[in-house]
């Protein structure tokens, strides 16, 4: 906690004054243009990867960047998606997976999760990704393939949400699937949208 408190002090002393005008504007305005759905992994920081300012990204982070398909009951993820699309009017949604993902590694290696039943239950939202990934792949190759397949599977599940489906049908929303490589900073667009294909760190 001391490190966090020291960080807050540095923010208030060094960072906030330089961006005081931006924060004053944001106090009464919330107009992000992109919903970024990423993994809870501490190594994956959406604003850092995309170099966006405060207020520009609406962010949802879940273990394995999983997006449960629409269900009749409300949950925090569905509510956040609906708010971003139907209320804030985001025009783009990015689902971003990443290298060395612990969730995908657990599935690829068929790890015993009996000691973490909530995690095991949550990872069922990646069943479609597992079905996409050939059993012939092994080790790191299988994890990498599963990471990619999972992004595509989560995009499909995202599209089952009514607010997303309606916006897609009007042409008001575009979905993107990215995979971020922690070691190199490279970002691959697995949906092959030319504008962001093969985005790499400088």
């Amino acid at each position: 906690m001391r490190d966090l408190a020291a960080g807050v002090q540095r923010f208030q002393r060094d960072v906030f004054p330089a961006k005081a005008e931006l924060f004053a504007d944001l106090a009464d305005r919330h107009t992000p243009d992109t919903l970024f759905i990423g993994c809870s992994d501490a190594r994956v920081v959406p604003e850092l990867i995309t170099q966006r300012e405060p207020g520009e990204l609406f962010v949802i982070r879940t273990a394995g960047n999983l997006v449960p398909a629409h269900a009749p009951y409300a949950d925090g993820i569905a509510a956040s998606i609906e708010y971003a699309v139907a209320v804030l009017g985001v025009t783009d949604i990015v689902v971003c997976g990443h290298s060395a993902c612990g969730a995908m590694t657990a599935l690829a290696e068929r790890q015993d999760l009996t000691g973490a039943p909530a995690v095991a239950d949550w990872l069922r939202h990646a069943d479609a990704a597992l079905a996409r990934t050939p059993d012939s792949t092994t080790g790191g190759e299988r994890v990498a393939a599963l990471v990619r397949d999972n992004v595509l599977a989560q995009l499909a599940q995202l599209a089952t949400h009514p607010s997303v489906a309606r916006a897609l049908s009007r042409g008001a929303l575009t979905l993107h699937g990215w995979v971020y490589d922690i070691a190199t900073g490279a970002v691959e667009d697995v949906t092959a949208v030319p504008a962001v294909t093969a985005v790499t760190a400088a």
Side-chain angles (χ1 to χ4, degrees):
M1 280 303 298
R2 288 181 182 173
D3 289 345
L4 295 182
V8 170
Q9 290 176 349
R10 287 195 301 274
F11 167 74
Q12 293 172 337
R13 182 187 65 239
D14 303 328
V15 178
F16 186 88
K19 295 181 179 291
E21 186 175 339
L22 170 63
F23 286 114
D25 182 48
L26 290 176
D28 299 311
R29 180 179 62 84
H30 186 209
T31 56
D33 55 21
T34 301
L35 167 59
F36 190 105
I37 303 175
C39 186
S40 301
D41 194 303
R43 299 168 294 176
V44 182
V45 184
E47 293 84 356
L48 182 63
I49 295 168
T50 61
Q51 289 296 285
R52 302 301 293 273
E53 290 281 7
E56 294 181 335
L57 292 181
F58 192 82
V59 178
I60 299 172
R61 297 178 70 165
T62 71
N65 45 273
L66 299 181
V67 182
H70 174 69
Y73 53 83
D75 63 57
I77 297 169
S80 296
I81 291 168
E82 184 177 77
Y83 185 76
V85 176
V87 179
L88 297 177
V90 299
T91 56
D92 293 275
I93 301 179
V94 174
V95 174
C96 184
H98 67 94
S99 61
C101 178
M104 295 304 105
T105 300
L107 291 173
E109 297 178 353
R110 297 178 174 83
Q111 294 177 4
D112 181 5
L113 295 174
T114 54
V119 173
D121 186 58
W122 173 249
L123 291 183
R124 284 189 283 190
H125 296 298
D127 284 351
L130 278 171
R132 288 173 179 257
T133 307
D135 289 333
S136 58
T137 55
T138 59
E141 182 183 343
R142 179 166 173 76
V143 174
L146 186 54
V147 166
R148 291 170 56 90
D149 290 339
N150 183 55
V151 168
L152 296 173
Q154 300 315 308
L155 287 173
Q157 291 177 179
L158 177 63
T160 68
H161 289 255
S163 59
V164 174
R166 286 192 295 268
L168 287 171
S169 70
R170 298 195 312 270
L173 183 67
T174 304
L175 305 185
H176 311 270
W178 291 2
V179 173
Y180 167 61
D181 186 79
I182 294 170
T184 66
V187 176
E188 177 187 7
D189 181 3
V190 297
T191 48
V193 178
V196 290
T197 298
V199 179
T200 57

